[in-house]
Tab-separated table of all heavy atoms in Angstrom:
chain	number	residue	atom	x	y	z
A	1	PRO	N	-1.471	66.147	-62.655
A	1	PRO	CA	-1.047	67.549	-62.616
A	1	PRO	C	0.473	67.663	-62.503
A	1	PRO	O	1.093	66.994	-61.684
A	1	PRO	CB	-1.742	68.097	-61.369
A	1	PRO	CG	-1.886	66.899	-60.483
A	1	PRO	CD	-2.111	65.726	-61.399
A	2	ARG	N	1.065	68.457	-63.342
A	2	ARG	CA	2.503	68.719	-63.284
A	2	ARG	C	3.298	67.407	-63.165
A	2	ARG	O	3.942	67.129	-62.132
A	2	ARG	CB	2.834	69.640	-62.104
A	2	ARG	CG	2.140	70.999	-62.115
A	2	ARG	CD	2.734	71.931	-63.152
A	2	ARG	NE	4.154	72.168	-62.920
A	2	ARG	CZ	4.627	73.091	-62.070
A	2	ARG	NH1	3.779	73.868	-61.393
A	2	ARG	NH2	5.923	73.256	-61.926
A	3	PRO	N	3.269	66.552	-64.195
A	3	PRO	CA	3.962	65.251	-64.119
A	3	PRO	C	5.431	65.372	-63.738
A	3	PRO	O	5.972	64.507	-63.039
A	3	PRO	CB	3.801	64.694	-65.539
A	3	PRO	CG	2.585	65.358	-66.074
A	3	PRO	CD	2.583	66.738	-65.482
A	4	GLU	N	6.104	66.449	-64.190
A	4	GLU	CA	7.516	66.604	-63.867
A	4	GLU	C	7.721	66.820	-62.366
A	4	GLU	O	8.738	66.405	-61.791
A	4	GLU	CB	8.123	67.770	-64.669
A	4	GLU	CG	7.722	69.169	-64.217
A	4	GLU	CD	6.311	69.584	-64.636
A	4	GLU	OE1	5.624	68.771	-65.290
A	4	GLU	OE2	5.916	70.720	-64.311
A	5	VAL	N	6.733	67.439	-61.700
A	5	VAL	CA	6.804	67.615	-60.245
A	5	VAL	C	6.498	66.295	-59.546
A	5	VAL	O	7.192	65.898	-58.594
A	5	VAL	CB	5.828	68.711	-59.780
A	5	VAL	CG1	5.818	68.811	-58.255
A	5	VAL	CG2	6.208	70.053	-60.396
A	6	ILE	N	5.462	65.600	-60.005
A	6	ILE	CA	5.072	64.319	-59.405
A	6	ILE	C	6.255	63.349	-59.418
A	6	ILE	O	6.498	62.622	-58.443
A	6	ILE	CB	3.871	63.712	-60.159
A	6	ILE	CG1	2.630	64.596	-60.006
A	6	ILE	CG2	3.582	62.292	-59.657
A	6	ILE	CD1	2.065	64.650	-58.625
A	7	GLN	N	7.008	63.303	-60.507
A	7	GLN	CA	8.141	62.383	-60.610
A	7	GLN	C	9.226	62.693	-59.584
A	7	GLN	O	9.981	61.801	-59.176
A	7	GLN	CB	8.714	62.416	-62.021
A	7	GLN	CG	7.898	61.647	-63.038
A	7	GLN	CD	7.755	60.178	-62.665
A	7	GLN	OE1	8.735	59.478	-62.438
A	7	GLN	NE2	6.508	59.717	-62.585
A	8	ARG	N	9.329	63.921	-59.164
A	8	ARG	CA	10.329	64.288	-58.160
A	8	ARG	C	9.921	63.872	-56.747
A	8	ARG	O	10.751	63.840	-55.830
A	8	ARG	CB	10.576	65.791	-58.203
A	8	ARG	CG	11.359	66.229	-59.448
A	8	ARG	CD	11.212	67.725	-59.694
A	8	ARG	NE	11.429	68.529	-58.480
A	8	ARG	CZ	10.888	69.742	-58.297
A	8	ARG	NH1	10.079	70.267	-59.226
A	8	ARG	NH2	11.135	70.396	-57.188
A	9	ILE	N	8.640	63.548	-56.557
A	9	ILE	CA	8.174	63.100	-55.234
A	9	ILE	C	8.398	61.591	-55.169
A	9	ILE	O	7.482	60.772	-55.339
A	9	ILE	CB	6.696	63.473	-55.004
A	9	ILE	CG1	6.468	64.962	-55.269
A	9	ILE	CG2	6.282	63.135	-53.579
A	9	ILE	CD1	5.015	65.397	-55.178
A	10	ASP	N	9.639	61.184	-54.964
A	10	ASP	CA	9.995	59.770	-54.941
A	10	ASP	C	9.628	59.138	-53.598
A	10	ASP	O	8.952	59.766	-52.764
A	10	ASP	CB	11.477	59.589	-55.260
A	10	ASP	CG	12.397	60.332	-54.282
A	10	ASP	OD1	11.923	60.738	-53.196
A	10	ASP	OD2	13.591	60.504	-54.609
A	11	TYR	N	10.077	57.903	-53.389
A	11	TYR	CA	9.690	57.175	-52.180
A	11	TYR	C	10.089	57.943	-50.912
A	11	TYR	O	9.300	58.081	-49.980
A	11	TYR	CB	10.331	55.790	-52.191
A	11	TYR	CG	9.955	54.926	-50.999
A	11	TYR	CD1	8.783	54.185	-50.999
A	11	TYR	CD2	10.773	54.865	-49.866
A	11	TYR	CE1	8.430	53.385	-49.905
A	11	TYR	CE2	10.437	54.083	-48.778
A	11	TYR	CZ	9.266	53.355	-48.804
A	11	TYR	OH	8.911	52.584	-47.722
A	12	ASP	N	11.327	58.432	-50.884
A	12	ASP	CA	11.794	59.144	-49.689
A	12	ASP	C	11.034	60.451	-49.486
A	12	ASP	O	10.626	60.778	-48.364
A	12	ASP	CB	13.291	59.428	-49.807
A	12	ASP	CG	14.126	58.165	-49.680
A	12	ASP	OD1	13.634	57.194	-49.081
A	12	ASP	OD2	15.253	58.141	-50.201
A	13	ALA	N	10.838	61.210	-50.568
A	13	ALA	CA	10.126	62.487	-50.452
A	13	ALA	C	8.673	62.272	-50.044
A	13	ALA	O	8.123	63.023	-49.231
A	13	ALA	CB	10.197	63.254	-51.772
A	14	HIS	N	8.053	61.219	-50.587
A	14	HIS	CA	6.656	60.935	-50.248
A	14	HIS	C	6.508	60.559	-48.781
A	14	HIS	O	5.528	60.932	-48.124
A	14	HIS	CB	6.121	59.820	-51.153
A	14	HIS	CG	4.634	59.695	-51.159
A	14	HIS	ND1	3.963	58.824	-50.333
A	14	HIS	CD2	3.677	60.330	-51.888
A	14	HIS	CE1	2.658	58.919	-50.555
A	14	HIS	NE2	2.456	59.823	-51.487
A	15	GLY	N	7.501	59.826	-48.264
A	15	GLY	CA	7.432	59.401	-46.873
A	15	GLY	C	7.538	60.539	-45.876
A	15	GLY	O	7.197	60.366	-44.697
A	16	LYS	N	7.991	61.699	-46.322
A	16	LYS	CA	8.121	62.856	-45.436
A	16	LYS	C	6.891	63.766	-45.471
A	16	LYS	O	6.886	64.808	-44.811
A	16	LYS	CB	9.365	63.665	-45.832
A	16	LYS	CG	10.667	62.899	-45.670
A	16	LYS	CD	11.842	63.709	-46.202
A	16	LYS	CE	13.141	62.915	-46.101
A	16	LYS	NZ	14.292	63.666	-46.683
A	17	ILE	N	5.883	63.373	-46.235
A	17	ILE	CA	4.672	64.190	-46.365
A	17	ILE	C	3.538	63.517	-45.598
A	17	ILE	O	3.214	62.361	-45.868
A	17	ILE	CB	4.272	64.363	-47.845
A	17	ILE	CG1	5.426	64.970	-48.650
A	17	ILE	CG2	3.027	65.226	-47.967
A	17	ILE	CD1	5.175	64.994	-50.148
A	18	ARG	N	2.943	64.224	-44.657
A	18	ARG	CA	1.854	63.658	-43.858
A	18	ARG	C	0.718	64.665	-43.772
A	18	ARG	O	0.945	65.861	-43.586
A	18	ARG	CB	2.330	63.333	-42.435
A	18	ARG	CG	3.485	62.368	-42.360
A	18	ARG	CD	3.093	60.968	-42.706
A	18	ARG	NE	2.238	60.373	-41.684
A	18	ARG	CZ	1.772	59.131	-41.757
A	18	ARG	NH1	2.044	58.375	-42.787
A	18	ARG	NH2	1.002	58.658	-40.795
A	19	PHE	N	-0.492	64.167	-43.901
A	19	PHE	CA	-1.661	65.029	-43.761
A	19	PHE	C	-1.767	65.511	-42.316
A	19	PHE	O	-1.570	64.739	-41.375
A	19	PHE	CB	-2.926	64.268	-44.159
A	19	PHE	CG	-4.120	65.147	-44.363
A	19	PHE	CD1	-4.343	65.786	-45.572
A	19	PHE	CD2	-5.036	65.342	-43.336
A	19	PHE	CE1	-5.443	66.599	-45.768
A	19	PHE	CE2	-6.143	66.156	-43.512
A	19	PHE	CZ	-6.347	66.791	-44.729
A	20	LYS	N	-2.078	66.778	-42.123
A	20	LYS	CA	-2.188	67.341	-40.786
A	20	LYS	C	-3.457	66.832	-40.105
A	20	LYS	O	-4.564	67.015	-40.637
A	20	LYS	CB	-2.220	68.862	-40.857
A	20	LYS	CG	-0.940	69.502	-41.392
A	20	LYS	CD	-1.098	71.013	-41.508
A	20	LYS	CE	0.162	71.664	-42.040
A	20	LYS	NZ	-0.004	73.136	-42.240
A	21	PRO	N	-3.345	66.204	-38.944
A	21	PRO	CA	-4.535	65.673	-38.274
A	21	PRO	C	-5.593	66.733	-38.010
A	21	PRO	O	-6.792	66.450	-38.104
A	21	PRO	CB	-3.981	65.088	-36.978
A	21	PRO	CG	-2.550	64.815	-37.254
A	21	PRO	CD	-2.107	65.886	-38.208
A	22	GLN	N	-5.164	67.942	-37.706
A	22	GLN	CA	-6.154	68.988	-37.400
A	22	GLN	C	-6.973	69.377	-38.622
A	22	GLN	O	-8.027	70.012	-38.494
A	22	GLN	CB	-5.460	70.224	-36.809
A	22	GLN	CG	-4.475	70.930	-37.731
A	22	GLN	CD	-3.057	70.405	-37.610
A	22	GLN	OE1	-2.856	69.251	-37.221
A	22	GLN	NE2	-2.093	71.239	-37.928
A	23	GLU	N	-6.492	69.017	-39.816
A	23	GLU	CA	-7.225	69.310	-41.046
A	23	GLU	C	-8.141	68.162	-41.454
A	23	GLU	O	-8.818	68.230	-42.482
A	23	GLU	CB	-6.237	69.586	-42.188
A	23	GLU	CG	-5.324	70.770	-41.969
A	23	GLU	CD	-6.055	72.095	-42.033
A	23	GLU	OE1	-7.165	72.137	-42.605
A	23	GLU	OE2	-5.526	73.098	-41.516
A	24	ALA	N	-8.166	67.076	-40.677
A	24	ALA	CA	-8.923	65.881	-41.048
A	24	ALA	C	-10.408	66.183	-41.205
A	24	ALA	O	-10.985	66.983	-40.454
A	24	ALA	CB	-8.732	64.786	-40.001
A	25	LEU	N	-11.017	65.542	-42.176
A	25	LEU	CA	-12.468	65.616	-42.316
A	25	LEU	C	-13.107	64.940	-41.104
A	25	LEU	O	-12.733	63.828	-40.746
A	25	LEU	CB	-12.890	64.905	-43.604
A	25	LEU	CG	-14.389	64.839	-43.904
A	25	LEU	CD1	-14.962	66.231	-44.155
A	25	LEU	CD2	-14.648	63.917	-45.094
A	26	TRP	N	-14.041	65.620	-40.459
A	26	TRP	CA	-14.741	65.137	-39.271
A	26	TRP	C	-13.792	64.991	-38.070
A	26	TRP	O	-13.989	64.139	-37.204
A	26	TRP	CB	-15.469	63.819	-39.534
A	26	TRP	CG	-16.420	63.880	-40.683
A	26	TRP	CD1	-17.233	64.918	-41.036
A	26	TRP	CD2	-16.657	62.850	-41.657
A	26	TRP	NE1	-17.959	64.616	-42.155
A	26	TRP	CE2	-17.624	63.352	-42.567
A	26	TRP	CE3	-16.143	61.567	-41.849
A	26	TRP	CZ2	-18.087	62.621	-43.646
A	26	TRP	CZ3	-16.606	60.829	-42.924
A	26	TRP	CH2	-17.560	61.357	-43.811
A	27	ALA	N	-12.767	65.803	-38.021
A	27	ALA	CA	-11.874	65.775	-36.863
A	27	ALA	C	-12.626	66.074	-35.572
A	27	ALA	O	-12.224	65.635	-34.491
A	27	ALA	CB	-10.733	66.784	-37.054
A	28	ASP	N	-13.721	66.835	-35.665
A	28	ASP	CA	-14.532	67.170	-34.503
A	28	ASP	C	-15.914	66.521	-34.554
A	28	ASP	O	-16.824	66.946	-33.852
A	28	ASP	CB	-14.684	68.691	-34.406
A	28	ASP	CG	-13.352	69.391	-34.223
A	28	ASP	OD1	-12.550	68.906	-33.401
A	28	ASP	OD2	-13.099	70.385	-34.917
A	29	GLY	N	-16.085	65.481	-35.373
A	29	GLY	CA	-17.375	64.804	-35.482
A	29	GLY	C	-18.054	65.129	-36.803
A	29	GLY	O	-17.555	65.925	-37.585
A	30	PRO	N	-19.209	64.518	-37.087
A	30	PRO	CA	-19.962	63.621	-36.209
A	30	PRO	C	-19.442	62.187	-36.195
A	30	PRO	O	-19.773	61.419	-35.311
A	30	PRO	CB	-21.358	63.659	-36.820
A	30	PRO	CG	-21.110	63.848	-38.271
A	30	PRO	CD	-19.917	64.769	-38.361
A	31	SER	N	-18.640	61.796	-37.199
A	31	SER	CA	-18.136	60.432	-37.237
A	31	SER	C	-17.113	60.218	-36.135
A	31	SER	O	-16.282	61.098	-35.877
A	31	SER	CB	-17.495	60.153	-38.595
A	31	SER	OG	-16.856	58.895	-38.592
A	32	PRO	N	-17.122	59.047	-35.475
A	32	PRO	CA	-16.045	58.750	-34.529
A	32	PRO	C	-14.692	58.619	-35.231
A	32	PRO	O	-13.656	58.681	-34.587
A	32	PRO	CB	-16.458	57.396	-33.929
A	32	PRO	CG	-17.904	57.242	-34.239
A	32	PRO	CD	-18.138	57.972	-35.523
A	33	TRP	N	-14.732	58.435	-36.583
A	33	TRP	CA	-13.522	58.112	-37.328
A	33	TRP	C	-13.197	59.213	-38.330
A	33	TRP	O	-13.731	59.252	-39.438
A	33	TRP	CB	-13.714	56.780	-38.049
A	33	TRP	CG	-14.163	55.690	-37.123
A	33	TRP	CD1	-13.437	55.098	-36.136
A	33	TRP	CD2	-15.458	55.073	-37.078
A	33	TRP	NE1	-14.183	54.152	-35.490
A	33	TRP	CE2	-15.439	54.105	-36.048
A	33	TRP	CE3	-16.629	55.221	-37.820
A	33	TRP	CZ2	-16.523	53.317	-35.739
A	33	TRP	CZ3	-17.714	54.429	-37.512
A	33	TRP	CH2	-17.663	53.493	-36.477
A	34	PRO	N	-12.290	60.129	-37.991
A	34	PRO	CA	-11.897	61.181	-38.930
A	34	PRO	C	-11.240	60.603	-40.180
A	34	PRO	O	-10.752	59.465	-40.183
A	34	PRO	CB	-10.906	62.021	-38.114
A	34	PRO	CG	-11.195	61.694	-36.682
A	34	PRO	CD	-11.629	60.265	-36.692
A	35	VAL	N	-11.213	61.394	-41.245
A	35	VAL	CA	-10.631	60.983	-42.522
A	35	VAL	C	-9.422	61.862	-42.829
A	35	VAL	O	-9.505	63.090	-42.772
A	35	VAL	CB	-11.654	61.106	-43.668
A	35	VAL	CG1	-11.039	60.662	-44.993
A	35	VAL	CG2	-12.903	60.292	-43.357
A	36	THR	N	-8.303	61.224	-43.166
A	36	THR	CA	-7.121	61.945	-43.637
A	36	THR	C	-6.801	61.469	-45.048
A	36	THR	O	-7.332	60.452	-45.513
A	36	THR	CB	-5.917	61.737	-42.707
A	36	THR	OG1	-5.604	60.331	-42.646
A	36	THR	CG2	-6.212	62.248	-41.314
A	37	PHE	N	-5.908	62.181	-45.721
A	37	PHE	CA	-5.696	61.939	-47.150
A	37	PHE	C	-4.224	61.711	-47.457
A	37	PHE	O	-3.334	62.224	-46.777
A	37	PHE	CB	-6.226	63.128	-47.956
A	37	PHE	CG	-7.694	63.370	-47.736
A	37	PHE	CD1	-8.123	64.294	-46.787
A	37	PHE	CD2	-8.649	62.650	-48.435
A	37	PHE	CE1	-9.476	64.507	-46.558
A	37	PHE	CE2	-9.994	62.845	-48.206
A	37	PHE	CZ	-10.420	63.777	-47.273
A	38	PHE	N	-3.971	60.919	-48.515
A	38	PHE	CA	-2.625	60.646	-48.997
A	38	PHE	C	-2.252	61.647	-50.095
A	38	PHE	O	-3.078	62.025	-50.926
A	38	PHE	CB	-2.528	59.233	-49.580
A	38	PHE	CG	-2.639	58.137	-48.563
A	38	PHE	CD1	-3.813	57.401	-48.449
A	38	PHE	CD2	-1.576	57.823	-47.727
A	38	PHE	CE1	-3.922	56.370	-47.529
A	38	PHE	CE2	-1.675	56.797	-46.804
A	38	PHE	CZ	-2.849	56.070	-46.699
A	39	HIS	N	-0.987	62.003	-50.113
A	39	HIS	CA	-0.472	62.942	-51.107
A	39	HIS	C	-0.100	62.208	-52.391
A	39	HIS	O	0.268	61.030	-52.386
A	39	HIS	CB	0.759	63.665	-50.551
A	39	HIS	CG	1.055	64.954	-51.240
A	39	HIS	ND1	1.697	65.020	-52.456
A	39	HIS	CD2	0.791	66.237	-50.879
A	39	HIS	CE1	1.821	66.280	-52.827
A	39	HIS	NE2	1.280	67.048	-51.889
A	40	LEU	N	-0.176	62.899	-53.506
A	40	LEU	CA	0.295	62.366	-54.777
A	40	LEU	C	1.803	62.165	-54.740
A	40	LEU	O	2.516	62.802	-53.962
A	40	LEU	CB	-0.064	63.313	-55.921
A	40	LEU	CG	-1.557	63.488	-56.227
A	40	LEU	CD1	-1.770	64.658	-57.180
A	40	LEU	CD2	-2.137	62.203	-56.819
A	41	GLY	N	2.312	61.274	-55.599
A	41	GLY	CA	3.744	61.026	-55.682
A	41	GLY	C	4.079	60.186	-56.894
A	41	GLY	O	3.199	59.820	-57.691
A	42	ARG	N	5.345	59.848	-57.050
A	42	ARG	CA	5.799	59.109	-58.223
A	42	ARG	C	5.072	57.788	-58.391
A	42	ARG	O	4.772	57.364	-59.507
A	42	ARG	CB	7.312	58.849	-58.122
A	42	ARG	CG	7.880	58.060	-59.292
A	42	ARG	CD	9.350	57.786	-59.099
A	42	ARG	NE	10.146	59.017	-59.096
A	42	ARG	CZ	11.460	59.039	-58.895
A	42	ARG	NH1	12.115	57.905	-58.666
A	42	ARG	NH2	12.118	60.184	-58.908
A	43	PHE	N	4.769	57.119	-57.294
A	43	PHE	CA	4.135	55.809	-57.374
A	43	PHE	C	2.609	55.884	-57.241
A	43	PHE	O	1.927	54.876	-57.420
A	43	PHE	CB	4.720	54.888	-56.302
A	43	PHE	CG	6.205	54.715	-56.423
A	43	PHE	CD1	7.072	55.319	-55.521
A	43	PHE	CD2	6.747	53.977	-57.458
A	43	PHE	CE1	8.442	55.172	-55.640
A	43	PHE	CE2	8.118	53.820	-57.594
A	43	PHE	CZ	8.973	54.428	-56.684
A	44	PHE	N	2.100	57.030	-56.933
A	44	PHE	CA	0.648	57.257	-56.842
A	44	PHE	C	0.375	58.592	-57.525
A	44	PHE	O	0.123	59.606	-56.875
A	44	PHE	CB	0.186	57.271	-55.385
A	44	PHE	CG	0.606	56.053	-54.617
A	44	PHE	CD1	1.659	56.115	-53.716
A	44	PHE	CD2	-0.029	54.836	-54.808
A	44	PHE	CE1	2.070	54.999	-53.020
A	44	PHE	CE2	0.380	53.707	-54.114
A	44	PHE	CZ	1.431	53.787	-53.220
A	45	TYR	N	0.457	58.586	-58.850
A	45	TYR	CA	0.479	59.829	-59.611
A	45	TYR	C	-0.874	60.224	-60.194
A	45	TYR	O	-1.022	61.320	-60.733
A	45	TYR	CB	1.512	59.741	-60.742
A	45	TYR	CG	1.264	58.623	-61.730
A	45	TYR	CD1	0.469	58.824	-62.859
A	45	TYR	CD2	1.818	57.364	-61.534
A	45	TYR	CE1	0.229	57.803	-63.757
A	45	TYR	CE2	1.589	56.337	-62.429
A	45	TYR	CZ	0.799	56.553	-63.542
A	45	TYR	OH	0.557	55.527	-64.433
A	46	LYS	N	-1.860	59.331	-60.117
A	46	LYS	CA	-3.176	59.648	-60.665
A	46	LYS	C	-4.048	60.284	-59.579
A	46	LYS	O	-4.292	59.671	-58.537
A	46	LYS	CB	-3.855	58.398	-61.203
A	46	LYS	CG	-3.141	57.767	-62.398
A	46	LYS	CD	-3.876	56.525	-62.881
A	46	LYS	CE	-3.168	55.878	-64.050
A	46	LYS	NZ	-3.867	54.653	-64.515
A	47	PRO	N	-4.541	61.492	-59.799
A	47	PRO	CA	-5.337	62.163	-58.765
A	47	PRO	C	-6.708	61.524	-58.599
A	47	PRO	O	-7.339	61.102	-59.570
A	47	PRO	CB	-5.459	63.593	-59.283
A	47	PRO	CG	-5.326	63.471	-60.764
A	47	PRO	CD	-4.368	62.339	-61.001
A	48	VAL	N	-7.146	61.419	-57.353
A	48	VAL	CA	-8.488	60.952	-57.016
A	48	VAL	C	-9.264	62.147	-56.471
A	48	VAL	O	-8.802	62.819	-55.545
A	48	VAL	CB	-8.437	59.825	-55.956
A	48	VAL	CG1	-9.837	59.304	-55.679
A	48	VAL	CG2	-7.520	58.698	-56.423
């Protein structure tokens, strides 16, 4: 999506982006282990 935007999310910009813990999947259960997600960027440009 928007390759020109993805290219601007370089190593430094990507390192400043963090998934909010309160938004984690299963942050309140039932799994003991919540799931957080990585953001797209120049080096990880293919969406999953």
Side-chain angles (χ1 to χ4, degrees):
R2 301 286 301 276
E4 73 284 0
V5 175
I6 295 292
Q7 283 301 306
R8 288 162 48 206
I9 308 175
D10 59 16
Y11 182 84
D12 289 337
H14 196 266
K16 297 175 183 177
I17 304 172
R18 302 288 290 181
F19 194 84
K20 296 176 180 176
Q22 63 270 26
E23 299 290 340
L25 178 65
W26 305 322
D28 298 316
S31 173
W33 307 291
V35 181
T36 60
F37 300 95
F38 291 104
H39 201 280
L40 294 168
R42 179 183 295 178
F43 302 107
F44 307 104
Y45 59 89
K46 295 180 181 179
V48 183

